[in-house]
Amino acid sequence: MNKIDRRSALGIGLTAASAAMMKSAAAQTTGYKDSTPWPGVVVRAYDSETPSLIPGFKTVSMRDVIMQPGSKTMGPPMMNPMVCHITEGELRIEQEGKTFAAKKNFVWTCNKDTKEQAYNDGNVVGIMRITDLNV
């Protein structure tokens, strides 16, 4: 067996890491549809919808609301019950007349017809992951 010096080992390691990064990035380019309902806000709806084990709900699906600094949503009533989770950044949420700060990893719920508006008052992108509970 040949000796492998540090430089060769580093080169092999970097090559393997770049291949893994390229493969995972390529895997993320399909399976969703983006829309821009408001300036600075992208809604990424994922294609997968799966049967629900929760009584009263037929399926669950997932989408991300990606908000640039300074952007806001318009506050439409919720079309169905959902669980919301901040995966990046921080958003200010106004829900049914109450205001709260939703920081990274904060989770809350909305019911059908809940009125809620989100604001990104910060300097970084905020991402709200929504799990829709579909009737």
Side-chain angles (χ1 to χ4, degrees):
M1 185 164 144
N2 293 336
K3 265 187 160 178
I4 297 178
D5 63 4
R6 278 192 221 169
R7 187 172 290 168
S8 297
L10 179 61
I12 292 167
L14 287 174
T15 302
S18 350
M21 294 283 286
M22 289 175 68
K23 184 175 182 181
S24 65
Q28 295 171 358
T29 59
T30 61
Y32 62 86
K33 292 182 180 116
D34 285 348
S35 62
T36 307
W38 307 287
V41 178
V42 172
V43 176
R44 177 166 292 164
Y46 295 96
D47 292 342
S48 62
E49 183 176 83
T50 57
S52 172
L53 296 176
I54 302 171
F57 301 103
K58 290 181 183 176
T59 61
V60 294
S61 57
M62 188 172 64
R63 58 195 160 106
D64 289 333
V65 178
I66 305 162
M67 299 182 64
Q68 297 299 320
S71 65
K72 65 179 181 175
T73 63
M74 294 304 291
M78 301 301 150
M79 56 195 159
N80 52 266
M82 60 188 71
V83 179
C84 301
H85 170 219
I86 301 298
T87 60
E88 293 296 329
E90 179 178 336
L91 300 177
R92 175 171 48 98
I93 306 296
E94 290 182 3
Q95 185 185 71
E96 298 290 331
K98 297 178 185 169
T99 302
F100 58 91
K103 298 180 180 186
K104 186 173 180 172
N105 292 324
F106 185 78
V107 178
W108 71 100
T109 59
C110 302
N111 206 350
K112 183 177 171 139
D113 297 325
T114 299
K115 291 184 182 176
E116 178 179 286
Q117 190 164 11
Y119 300 83
N120 186 345
D121 298 327
N123 298 326
V124 298
V125 172
I127 301 176
M128 175 180 12
R129 172 148 296 163
I130 300 171
T131 303
D132 287 301
L133 305 169
N134 305 304
V135 183

